[in-house]
Amino acid sequence: MRDVQFGELPYLKYDNGVSSCMYSPDGSSFTVGLSDGNIDVFASSNWEKTWILNGHSRNVSDIAYSPNGDRIVSGSHDCTVRVWDIATGDCLYIFVGHTGEIYKVAYSSQGNLVASRSNDMTVRLWDMGTGNCRSIIYGCDYINDMAFSPSGDSIAFSSRDLRVRVWDVASGECQSILIGHADQFMNIMYSSQGDLICRNENWYVGVWEMEAGAYRHIIQSSESPASSPKGNQIATYGRWSKEGIALWDTATGECIRRLAIDDEGFSSVVYSPQGDQIVSSSYRDNTVRLWDVETGECRQTMTGHTSYVWKVLYSPKGDYIASVDNNTVRLWNIVSGASRKIAHRHSGAVTGFVYSPKRNQIASCSSDSTIRLWDVETGVCIRTLTDHSEKVYNISYSPTEDQLVSCSRDKTVRVWDVESGACQDILAGHTRDINFAVFSPQGDQIASTSDDWTVRLWDVETGQCQHILIGHSNEVWFVKYSPRGNQISSCSMDGTVRLWDVVTGDCQHTLTGHLAGIGGFEYSPNGNHIASASDDTTVRLWDLKTGMCSNILTGHQGVVRRVVYSPRGDQVASASFDKTVRLWDLESGECRHTLVDHKEVIHAIVYSQRGDLIASWSDYGEARLFDVETGDCRWTLKYDVSADWDGSPLSCNFVWMSLEVDSFITADFAGAVRAWEVVEEGGQSCVRMRWGSTNSQLVVQDTCVQDVQGLSDLNRRLLKQRGATGEPNIRLRETGKKVMSMASIVSKLKSSSSITEARN
């Protein structure tokens, strides 16, 4: 077994040629059309074949999923179009009428129409409700290509008579004709913005503004372009000329960047669903390459094809790639592989990150001045926010999780739209570094703190500063809203905590008593108390009604920078530079446990949502999970971080992902974000990485997998394809390992049930 690559999955090998393939809209299935007329449907969760759709008698030239993914339409050289039910495998419709081979089929965005293009010089529109042919488009000479508009209310097609026609699907009449071409257009496509992009046979691409009915830009290119998901960019490439891959701005028509300059032999180019990467295939060296759109760097070259790679495509989430040659479909998990991890890891320390449960998303900020949004399930970097010019200290989601606020050394607070990644507002006024920014519980206000000794309150809707809170005599690190949102508290290196009224901006209380700066504080769950942690090695508890200190917790031998309340509010935990965590009983003020196993300075502490466990995270990649009742260490995680500390003392780079405490996210000073899962083996808990920002390559020779435990079925199949001998001990693996996640168990049961039903 030689040259197996991380992220590589077992390939799909056929004796007959592969003529078409496609992912379902949700990525749960993958369909392959074959030259013998058969269609294979696979479940992408395990790449088991769920259906073989028989009916066509000749090559299946094209396939398309309905928008909701419940049906497949196929076009064949047998002159028929067939519609299949993906759940039952039944053929619902057979559309006849074409007198020539069918080359392309497509669903409208509403799913109510299917279009088919044939070499009989017609395009037919089929009604999915009745199964009848609604329109026949003809009399235009040979039709080279067709495409539905994004709204689905019109269809455009190009023909040999040098025209591009736009057809209204409701009336069945020609809406407009784009003329003025000296040559015929071979390929056409719509961008997501509604522009029509056409490639001429004489090596140029035209971008049409449909409302004006005129060219917006003409771009030199020898092959069919690819449009980015947002429609703001197109990629062109050269098959025979050494033009490489060029990225163009559709608004200005200017070339933004060139990839693989002076290279040739590209056969296909596709943007990732996030628009941050491009995958290309080659007919010259049979490789597949991943490119970073922002930097233009080639992040990974995937090898293994033995013939011309004619097509590449992304899964809808952007976590998988399929590449196709004459007889083989190769599958790549680019989250497990090196490509996306390298392209999207921060180039500086991760200074903070937060979890969005509604979106199942992580936002991370870094000293590299960027903010990155990550899909928790796949590890894919969804978007990179780049408007800050210096180190970003902190980020926070709005209560509705549709906005994000960030603060930076560049003296600005920025408000972002999470869905689009657009910067909605820039809040300027602080005169020095801004350390912390957070939304109010109602989401209508933002509070920010700065090294300029002030706290500012901002109106989210107008972006105006409502109040400047003055009173601290040193840098202000943290600010937090009370649970009810009617009060904020701020802590400073002047050794005080100040309580402010959010409406008037008046200071209600100044909590004094610490003998050194305060590095952290926390409201109790009911909002009646505050716990503060200080460089004077103590933790103080404060009654917010009176502003008086109710208890002083002593015992740490070093600076205390972290303090958190348990979910029930009956306990606080504190973390110190003395490398210990202390658990304090609030009723008695006594230290119940001193957790002493850490070898490094502790950077973060987090209670589980049930409060029965507490996780601690130290500098340079050491995490531990302790039982709150007994103080025993349940598991330990240690990995190397090969970068000097450049994080913010405010960051808390550890987030639990579920109530069952089976998975969590970490970030480190090397700029990496990692997802972990807790598994149980032999009665003991241990931690394994699900995905992360690392790069590895695997080269294995003379492999034997006899009686190997813990080997997944996908990896077993891959190793066997690469020549490994022996059989793994599947029974031992299945009984010896239990993943502690009810969600994953339910998901597996559902998958197993659906596959069994399909086979029956």
Side-chain angles (χ1 to χ4, degrees):
M1 187 190 72
R2 188 186 299 270
D3 299 331
V4 171
Q5 299 158 81
F6 279 118
E8 183 179 1
L9 300 178
Y11 53 77
L12 312 177
K13 184 71 173 178
Y14 291 96
D15 295 330
N16 297 298
V18 178
S19 52
S20 54
C21 59
M22 192 177 188
Y23 275 99
S24 63
D26 64 357
S28 62
S29 67
F30 184 82
T31 300
V32 180
L34 302 172
S35 61
D36 64 1
N38 287 333
I39 300 171
D40 287 351
V41 182
F42 294 87
S44 61
S45 59
N46 55 15
W47 292 101
E48 294 287 346
K49 191 181 298 183
T50 57
W51 293 113
I52 300 176
L53 308 180
N54 299 306
H56 287 297
S57 59
R58 295 180 61 194
N59 179 42
V60 180
S61 52
D62 197 23
I63 51 178
Y65 277 89
S66 60
N68 62 10
D70 63 343
R71 294 182 177 184
I72 294 172
V73 62
S74 57
S76 170
H77 286 184
D78 65 8
C79 308
T80 68
V81 176
R82 289 176 179 257
V83 179
W84 310 84
D85 187 298
I86 196 67
T88 64
D90 295 334
C91 182
L92 303 177
Y93 295 117
I94 303 174
F95 298 144
V96 296
H98 282 295
T99 58
E101 297 175 347
I102 296 171
Y103 291 146
K104 188 170 184 177
V105 291
Y107 263 97
S108 66
S109 56
Q110 295 95 342
N112 61 329
L113 285 178
V114 161
S116 56
R117 177 179 67 87
S118 169
N119 70 356
D120 64 8
M121 299 193 290
T122 69
V123 169
R124 289 178 178 251
L125 301 181
W126 309 89
D127 190 300
M128 289 296 97
T130 64
N132 297 326
C133 180
R134 178 184 290 188
S135 300
I136 304 174
I137 302 170
Y138 62 95
C140 313
D141 206 334
Y142 185 85
I143 298 174
N144 295 319
D145 202 5
M146 67 175 188
F148 274 108
S149 64
S151 62
D153 56 1
S154 62
I155 186 170
F157 57 93
S158 60
S159 58
R160 284 181 183 170
D161 64 2
L162 312 187
R163 287 170 168 78
V164 175
R165 291 173 171 83
V166 181
W167 211 267
D168 184 83
V169 297
S171 65
E173 296 179 355
C174 184
Q175 200 172 32
S176 59
I177 302 176
L178 310 180
I179 60 175
H181 322 298
D183 304 287
Q184 61 178 316
F185 283 102
M186 306 306 296
N187 307 99
I188 61 173
M189 63 182 298
Y190 277 95
S191 72
S192 59
Q193 296 177 344
D195 293 329
L196 190 61
I197 303 170
C198 314
R199 182 187 67 88
N200 186 279
E201 64 179 343
N202 281 337
W203 294 22
Y204 72 83
V205 172
V207 180
W208 288 83
E209 190 170 350
M210 295 307 296
E211 290 187 5
Y215 277 127
R216 178 184 292 171
H217 305 296
I218 298 177
I219 296 169
Q220 187 75 20
S221 174
S222 62
E223 291 300 327
S224 179
S227 178
S228 65
K230 293 182 180 179
N232 61 331
Q233 193 179 100
I234 62 173
T236 62
Y237 60 98
R239 183 185 296 262
W240 314 115
S241 63
K242 293 186 177 182
E243 62 184 82
I245 301 172
L247 309 183
W248 305 84
D249 188 301
T250 55
T252 65
E254 296 179 356
C255 181
I256 305 168
R257 188 170 292 105
R258 288 189 180 273
L259 320 177
I261 300 174
D262 296 330
D263 203 353
E264 63 178 351
F266 294 103
S267 54
S268 179
V269 166
V270 182
Y271 278 90
S272 67
Q274 295 78 23
D276 55 349
Q277 286 192 340
I278 281 176
V279 60
S280 66
S281 62
S282 172
Y283 77 90
R284 180 173 53 84
D285 60 8
N286 305 330
T287 63
V288 176
R289 298 184 192 179
L290 285 179
W291 306 86
D292 187 286
V293 169
E294 185 178 346
T295 65
E297 297 179 54
C298 179
R299 292 304 187 183
Q300 187 177 1
T301 300
M302 292 171 280
T303 61
H305 284 285
T306 57
S307 62
Y308 159 49
V309 184
W310 61 270
K311 184 174 183 177
V312 286
L313 63 159
Y314 273 95
S315 64
K317 284 189 176 182
D319 49 347
Y320 288 91
I321 283 174
S323 54
V324 188
D325 63 29
N326 291 334
N327 301 95
T328 307
V329 179
R330 288 189 176 268
L331 307 167
W332 316 87
N333 182 335
I334 60 172
V335 175
S336 297
S339 57
R340 188 173 296 276
K341 295 175 184 175
I342 303 174
H344 295 291
R345 69 177 297 164
H346 287 286
S347 59
V350 177
T351 52
F353 71 158
V354 286
Y355 174 51
S356 166
K358 291 180 182 177
R359 294 177 175 272
N360 201 25
Q361 181 185 95
I362 283 284
S364 61
C365 61
S366 170
S367 60
D368 66 6
S369 78
T370 68
I371 300 163
R372 299 183 187 272
L373 307 181
W374 309 80
D375 184 281
V376 169
E377 185 66 26
T378 65
V380 171
C381 180
I382 303 166
R383 189 165 287 109
T384 302
L385 314 180
T386 59
D387 287 358
H388 279 297
S389 59
E390 294 193 54
K391 177 179 181 177
V392 184
Y393 285 112
N394 175 254
I395 48 178
S396 175
Y397 280 100
S398 65
T400 56
E401 300 177 16
D402 58 347
Q403 288 181 306
L404 194 70
V405 64
S406 61
C407 60
S408 168
R409 182 182 284 170
D410 64 12
K411 306 179 185 63
T412 68
V413 174
R414 291 178 183 261
V415 182
W416 310 84
D417 180 77
V418 174
E419 188 66 33
S420 67
C423 180
Q424 296 179 318
D425 217 337
I426 302 174
L427 313 181
H430 283 294
T431 58
R432 294 185 63 190
D433 294 15
I434 302 175
N435 296 316
F436 203 80
V438 64
F439 280 96
S440 65
Q442 294 77 25
D444 58 347
Q445 191 180 74
I446 289 172
S448 60
T449 67
S450 171
D451 285 355
D452 65 9
W453 303 2
T454 69
V455 178
R456 288 181 179 248
L457 302 182
W458 311 85
D459 186 285
V460 172
E461 184 175 353
T462 66
Q464 298 298 310
C465 181
Q466 296 173 314
H467 298 290
I468 303 175
L469 312 183
I470 300 174
H472 284 295
S473 59
N474 208 325
E475 299 170 353
V476 187
W477 276 16
F478 277 113
V479 63
K480 294 187 178 182
Y481 281 88
S482 64
R484 289 185 291 273
N486 61 331
Q487 180 189 79
I488 63 167
S489 297
S490 57
C491 71
S492 168
M493 293 310 291
D494 65 7
T496 68
V497 174
R498 287 179 175 260
L499 313 182
W500 312 84
D501 185 285
V502 297
V503 177
T504 65
D506 295 335
C507 182
Q508 298 172 324
H509 291 293
T510 300
L511 311 183
T512 60
H514 280 298
L515 304 178
I518 299 174
F521 72 95
E522 191 80 29
Y523 273 98
S524 63
N526 61 16
N528 295 330
H529 297 84
I530 276 180
S532 58
S534 172
D535 288 5
D536 67 7
T537 73
T538 70
V539 174
R540 287 180 178 249
L541 307 178
W542 308 87
D543 187 308
L544 298 189
K545 291 182 179 179
T546 64
M548 302 299 294
C549 179
S550 58
N551 212 336
I552 304 174
L553 310 180
T554 61
H556 281 297
Q557 303 301 309
V559 168
V560 184
R561 284 284 173 84
R562 291 287 180 269
V563 61
V564 292
Y565 275 90
S566 65
R568 293 188 295 271
D570 59 342
Q571 186 183 88
V572 294
S574 57
S576 169
F577 281 17
D578 65 9
K579 305 176 185 177
T580 68
V581 175
R582 286 179 176 256
L583 307 183
W584 308 88
D585 183 87
L586 291 185
E587 185 175 350
S588 65
E590 295 180 357
C591 179
R592 292 184 56 194
H593 296 293
T594 302
L595 314 179
V596 297
D597 291 338
H598 275 286
K599 308 301 180 186
E600 304 287 348
V601 172
I602 298 170
H603 197 65
I605 47 175
V606 185
Y607 276 97
S608 65
Q609 295 179 39
R610 288 193 298 257
D612 56 339
L613 302 169
I614 189 167
S616 54
W617 174 255
S618 72
D619 293 351
Y620 304 102
E622 181 189 20
R624 293 179 183 272
L625 181 69
F626 295 93
D627 188 293
V628 169
E629 184 65 30
T630 65
D632 295 335
C633 182
R634 292 273 294 272
W635 54 252
T636 301
L637 165 68
K638 175 68 177 177
Y639 69 96
D640 292 332
V641 178
S642 57
D644 294 333
W645 182 68
D646 188 29
S648 165
L650 310 178
S651 61
C652 180
N653 297 337
F654 189 109
V655 175
W656 286 113
M657 304 304 299
S658 70
L659 184 64
E660 289 81 11
V661 197
D662 66 334
S663 58
F664 58 94
I665 305 287
T666 65
D668 61 36
F669 307 136
V673 176
R674 292 177 169 90
W676 309 83
E677 67 178 1
V678 182
V679 299
E680 189 175 289
E681 290 186 344
Q684 294 184 340
S685 298
C686 61
V687 183
R688 292 184 176 176
M689 189 173 72
R690 289 170 51 195
W691 54 261
S693 308
T694 56
N695 177 26
S696 301
Q697 294 180 353
L698 175 66
V699 177
V700 187
Q701 297 180 1
D702 301 326
T703 305
C704 177
V705 293
Q706 186 67 39
D707 297 328
V708 170
Q709 299 182 40
L711 190 64
S712 71
D713 182 63
L714 282 175
N715 285 333
R716 178 190 64 80
R717 287 156 55 190
L718 174 62
L719 295 176
K720 297 292 285 185
Q721 284 181 346
R722 291 305 187 101
T725 61
E727 290 297 329
N729 196 327
I730 298 176
R731 180 175 298 176
L732 284 176
R733 172 181 64 81
E734 291 176 343
T735 57
K737 176 183 176 182
K738 177 185 176 184
V739 179
M740 298 169 58
S741 169
M742 288 305 298
S744 63
I745 293 171
V746 171
S747 175
K748 289 179 180 178
L749 288 174
K750 287 182 177 178
S751 298
S752 174
S753 175
S754 63
I755 292 172
T756 302
E757 290 175 13
R759 287 175 174 168
N760 291 336

